[in-house]
Amino acid sequence: MRSWVSPSPAPERPIRFWLGARLVSVDDAPPTLTLLEWMRERGGCASVKEGCAEGDCGACTVAVTDLDGNGEPQVRAVNACIQFLGTLDGKAVQSAQHIAAADALHPVQQAMVDCHGSQCGFCTPGFVMSMFALYETRRAAANPDVTRDDALRALSGNLCRCTGYRPIVDATRAMCAAPWQGPDREVWKTRLAAVAADGSAARSIAADGTALGATADGTAADGTAAERIAADGAVADAAAADETAAHASAVFTSIVIFASPTSPL
């Protein structure tokens, strides 16, 4: 079952959110522009697929991170095809091409490879992100084990015509066996503070106070490469991080065929 992201107050400024490790600012977005449309047409995210465009098939699933009522990061699987871009203000978005490390697949992706959880590959990115949302929830839980019921519940919004689901369920149950990978909760808090939806200018929490700003295509406002906040609070160059992570993402792409450069899908 999919989560809805509650809309932020109507901003009198650009929509700001994290796309992977990039801080993005979008001006003059039509109120009915969906996250899926923006990601595919302007965000360079070919892994996010359009299937039903009605929130039923799960091919467009992404992970959205925001803060819960206690100020703690929460990661939810969201259908990008029915999520308006404006509701992402002050939040963080990740797709299947944003979660791999520089030199290795994410444990969720690796589990899909090991369990043969993909055939045609069209639905695979959506399944990966539903699994990723569960992975992040389990990472913060006292008991990280994933039961069959947990897996079925997490995957209930994704459809697959090829696999019969069993290898995907197996991958979902196996993904937490590997060492945890990804930013810790304090990094999420820092990133979300930088795009706080309170009308304040986007800013870094780095010691040098360097401002983070990016245009819709991911380049920084001053023309330099978009920057990201590293785990230690220092400002790191996201362009370099994206370039080194591209190799791992390319390996996964070639295996599951979810973002073929020759495919219009």
Side-chain angles (χ1 to χ4, degrees), residues 66-74 76:
D66 58 6
L67 300 178
D68 63 18
N70 297 318
E72 294 298 322
Q74 59 181 355
R76 292 176 283 174

Side-chain angles (χ1 to χ4, degrees), residues 17 19 22 33-51 59-60 62 80-81 85 95 97-98 122 125 216 258-265:
F17 60 94
L19 179 64
R22 292 186 296 161
L33 180 67
T34 67
L35 176 59
L36 174 63
E37 291 169 329
W38 183 89
M39 292 184 77
R40 288 190 62 85
E41 297 171 9
R42 299 176 64 184
C45 298
S47 67
V48 185
K49 305 301 187 184
E50 180 175 341
C60 67
V62 296
C81 70
L85 186 68
S95 72
Q97 65 198 69
H98 295 120
F122 187 86
F258 69 70
S260 171
T262 62
S263 171
L265 300 176

Side-chain angles (χ1 to χ4, degrees), residues 17-21 35 39 45 47-48 60-65 74-78 80 88 91-100 106 125 128-130 132-133 136 139 181-183 188 191:
F17 60 94
W18 289 96
L19 179 64
L35 176 59
M39 292 184 77
C45 298
S47 67
V48 185
C60 67
T61 304
V62 296
V64 173
T65 303
Q74 59 181 355
V75 183
R76 292 176 283 174
V78 169
L88 277 301
K91 299 177 175 64
V93 181
Q94 292 171 287
S95 72
Q97 65 198 69
H98 295 120
I99 61 175
H106 189 277
V128 164
M129 296 317 293
S130 292
F132 175 79
E136 286 293 313
R139 188 155 71 117
Q181 179 178 313
W188 283 122
R191 288 181 174 178

Side-chain angles (χ1 to χ4, degrees), residues 1 20 26 35 39 41 55 59 62 79 84 130 134 142 150 158 169 195 199 202-203 213 216 222 240 243 259-260 265:
M1 181 176 296
V26 182
L35 176 59
M39 292 184 77
E41 297 171 9
V62 296
N79 288 319
F84 292 135
S130 292
L134 177 61
D150 293 334
N158 297 80
V169 172
V195 289
R203 62 194 182 279
D222 62 358
E243 182 177 352
S260 171
L265 300 176

Side-chain angles (χ1 to χ4, degrees), residues 208-224:
D208 62 3
T210 303
L212 298 182
T215 61
D217 62 1
T219 57
D222 62 358
T224 61

Side-chain angles (χ1 to χ4, degrees), residues 149-165:
D149 285 345
D150 293 334
L152 294 178
R153 189 176 301 108
L155 302 175
S156 63
N158 297 80
L159 301 179
C160 176
R161 296 175 180 268
C162 302
T163 64
Y165 297 102

